[in-house]
Amino acid sequence: MRPTAADTLKSSRKPPRSVLVALFGALVPLLAALTLMAPPATARTEAVPAATLTEVTGFGANPSNLQMYVYVPAAVTAHPAIVVAVHYCGGSGPAMYSGTEYASLADQLGFIVVYPSVTRASKCFDVSSPQALRRNGGSDPVGIKSMVDWVTSAYAADTSRVYALGISSGAMMTNVLLGDYPDVFAAGAAFAGVPFGCFATTDGSEWNTACANGTVIQTPQQWGDLVRGADPGYTGPRPRMQLWHGTADDTLRYPNFGEEIKQWTNVLGVGQTPAATDSPATGWTRTRYGATGDQAPVEAISLQGAGHNLYTYGMGARVLTFFGLTGGGTTPPPTTGPCKVTVTTSAWNTGLTASVTITNTGSSPVNGWQLGFTLPTGQTVTNGWGATYAPVSGAVTATNASYDGTIAPNASVTIGYQANHTGNSAAPTAYTLNGTACTVG
C-alpha cells in the first residue's frame, strides 16, 4: 500500500534510537521513586468519615424512601461485622445512635453499625403490609438489605457476621428481617416486639390491635410457617434469635413474648422446653432453647414488672455476647459492693421531683456507676441532674455524670429528676447499683 502524507509525517517525527535509549534510562529511576511513594494497592479509601454518624444516600434499592445512617469506628477491623440497629416508633436513626450504646461498643470491638431511619409520618417501620412480609417485596426490608449490601461492598464486611436488633417497631422489624432474609442475618435481638407476621394487615393500616393486645395465638407450626413462607425457596440455616419483653408491657402485651418463643423455636427446629433457665439480673428470667450457652439458638429474657420502654444501658453488651461478637467476655456492668439508696419526693397535681442519695456501704470505691430502678406506671422523667436517664419511663438507668462517677467507701452522691405522673407519684421501691441490689431506706 502506498504511504499517505500522514504516514510520512509520523515517520519524520520519530526520534533517533539513541535518544529513546537515553530517555528510557532517565525514566527508570523516576518510575522507581514514584512506585515507592505510591500507597500500596491494598490500601482502602474510607467510604465515610470515621467515628462520626454519617448519612449515606444512593445506597441502592430503597422503595420506601428510608434514610441510611452509618457509624464506622476509627479502629474498624478488617472484614468487619455489621450490626443493624432499628429504631422504635417515633424515633430515628440518629436517635437510636444517641440513645443506645452500640456506637461505643463498635469503638471497642471494631464492627460497623447501620441505623435505618423511617421518613413516613408515623416514624414506624412497615411490618404489616404484604410487601414487607416477603423477600424483596418492595418495602422497608428491601431498603435495609440495600444498606447492608452497601456496607459489605464499601468495607469488605464479613457476610457471615451480619446482625439485626431493634426496639418496639424496630423489634418487629428485626423479626421481619430475619424472616425475609435468613441468608443475610446470622442472628437478631428483639426488645418488646411481636412474632413475624403477627402485625399483618391487608387494608393499608400500620397497626394491628389484636396483635398488640396479645390476642393473636397460634401453634408453633403456624408461626413457623409464616417465617418460612417469606422466602419459600430457602433451605439453608436460619438465624438465631434473642427475645426481650417486660411483663407489664401495655403497648405490645406480654403474651407476644410467648408467641415469639413458639415461632423461633419452631423455625430453628428446637424444643420448647428450656435447656437452661437462670436469672442474670434482679427480676430477670432467662430461658435458653436448643443449647445452654451464650449462643443458644433461642434466648428469651423476661423482665418482671418492666413496661414497654424496657431497654436500658448495658443490655447492648448482652446482645453482642449472644451475637458472638464479644467472645463471651463482656457482660455489663461489673458488680459492685453493698449500697444504700435513700429517696425523697415532692409531688403536685401532675408532676414530682425526686432526690436520690446513693451511698457506697462497701469497703472499695465505686468507679463508674449505673443506678437501675423502675418508675411506677404513668411516670415519665422530664429532666434530671447528677446523671443521665434513659429511657424516661419504665425500667430506667441513671448513668453517672463526669464529676460524680467515683463513690468512695462510706461516701454518697445525690442525684435527682423531675417527672410527670398520671396519679401515682410514689418513688420506686427497688434500686440496683451496677447490677447489685441496694438497701432502700
Side-chain angles (χ1 to χ4, degrees):
M1 180 181 292
R2 186 176 179 178
T4 65
D7 293 331
T8 303
L9 182 58
K10 290 177 185 177
S11 176
S12 67
R13 289 179 178 171
K14 289 181 180 177
R17 179 179 176 83
S18 59
V19 174
L20 289 173
V21 172
L23 180 60
F24 180 75
L27 283 173
V28 168
L30 177 60
L31 289 170
L34 288 173
T35 300
L36 290 173
M37 293 167 57
T42 56
R44 183 178 66 203
T45 301
E46 301 300 340
V48 299
T52 302
L53 184 68
T54 304
E55 183 177 4
V56 175
T57 59
F59 50 83
N62 184 24
S64 54
N65 196 33
L66 298 178
Q67 291 175 289
M68 173 185 177
Y69 293 88
V70 64
Y71 182 83
V72 179
V76 63
T77 60
H79 308 298
I82 301 172
V83 172
V84 180
V86 194
H87 68 74
Y88 40 88
C89 269
S92 66
M96 193 72 173
Y97 163 77
S98 61
T100 61
E101 66 271 45
Y102 295 100
S104 63
L105 291 168
D107 289 334
Q108 300 172 34
L109 299 169
F111 59 85
I112 293 174
V113 193
V114 174
Y115 299 94
S117 194
V118 169
T119 57
R120 64 177 60 90
S122 66
K123 303 299 182 186
C124 298
F125 285 92
D126 176 14
V127 295
S128 55
S129 75
Q131 293 79 15
L133 297 174
R134 68 174 186 269
R135 184 184 184 91
N136 299 332
S139 189
D140 293 352
V142 173
I144 296 173
K145 167 64 162 52
S146 294
M147 297 177 196
V148 171
D149 291 342
W150 185 93
V151 173
T152 299
S153 175
Y155 288 90
D158 184 347
T159 56
S160 70
R161 295 191 301 148
V162 179
Y163 308 92
L165 65 96
I167 301 170
S168 187
S169 177
M172 293 192 276
M173 177 52 70
T174 297
N175 277 268
V176 169
L177 289 172
L178 269 59
D180 285 359
Y181 297 104
D183 56 330
V184 173
F185 295 94
F191 290 86
V194 304
F196 177 101
C198 184
F199 242 59
T201 60
T202 56
D203 60 0
S205 173
E206 296 180 31
W207 188 257
N208 185 317
T209 300
C211 178
N213 288 340
T215 62
V216 178
I217 307 299
Q218 301 205 54
T219 67
Q221 183 69 35
Q222 289 171 322
W223 283 126
D225 286 345
L226 288 177
V227 172
R228 288 181 286 269
D231 186 9
Y234 182 73
T235 59
R238 294 280 176 174
R240 297 178 297 108
M241 178 61 96
Q242 183 186 61
L243 304 165
W244 301 71
H245 221 104
T247 61
D249 192 329
D250 57 4
T251 301
L252 300 173
R253 295 188 180 275
Y254 188 66
N256 283 301
F257 180 59
E259 299 304 294
E260 285 181 296
I261 293 172
K262 287 158 63 174
Q263 182 171 67
W264 290 102
T265 51
N266 180 267
V267 167
L268 287 156
V270 299
Q272 291 185 51
T273 300
T277 302
D278 65 357
S279 182
T282 302
W284 294 16
T285 300
R286 178 173 61 188
T287 49
R288 287 169 167 166
Y289 302 84
T292 60
D294 286 338
Q295 283 88 54
V298 177
E299 180 174 272
I301 302 97
S302 173
L303 283 69
Q304 181 64 38
H308 189 61
N309 297 321
L310 60 83
Y311 190 92
T312 59
Y313 180 91
M315 290 179 176
R318 294 185 184 274
V319 169
L320 298 187
T321 296
F322 176 76
F323 288 171
L325 293 179
T326 63
T330 303
T331 53
T335 58
T336 189
C339 50
K340 179 180 179 180
V341 171
T342 303
V343 58
T344 58
T345 61
S346 177
W348 58 95
N349 290 343
T350 60
L352 63 89
T353 58
S355 177
V356 182
T357 298
I358 309 164
T359 302
N360 176 8
T361 56
S363 58
S364 301
V366 175
N367 295 306
W369 50 264
Q370 290 93 43
L371 183 72
F373 55 92
T374 299
L375 290 173
T377 300
Q379 291 188 17
T380 303
V381 174
T382 55
N383 62 72
W385 50 93
T388 57
Y389 299 81
V392 295
S393 62
V396 177
T397 297
T399 302
N400 67 270
S402 58
Y403 53 83
D404 63 2
T406 299
I407 312 176
N410 300 313
S412 302
V413 298
T414 298
I415 63 174
Y417 58 87
Q418 183 173 335
N420 293 331
H421 68 83
T422 57
N424 186 350
S425 60
T429 57
Y431 296 84
T432 60
L433 187 66
N434 290 352
T436 297
C438 298
T439 301
V440 180

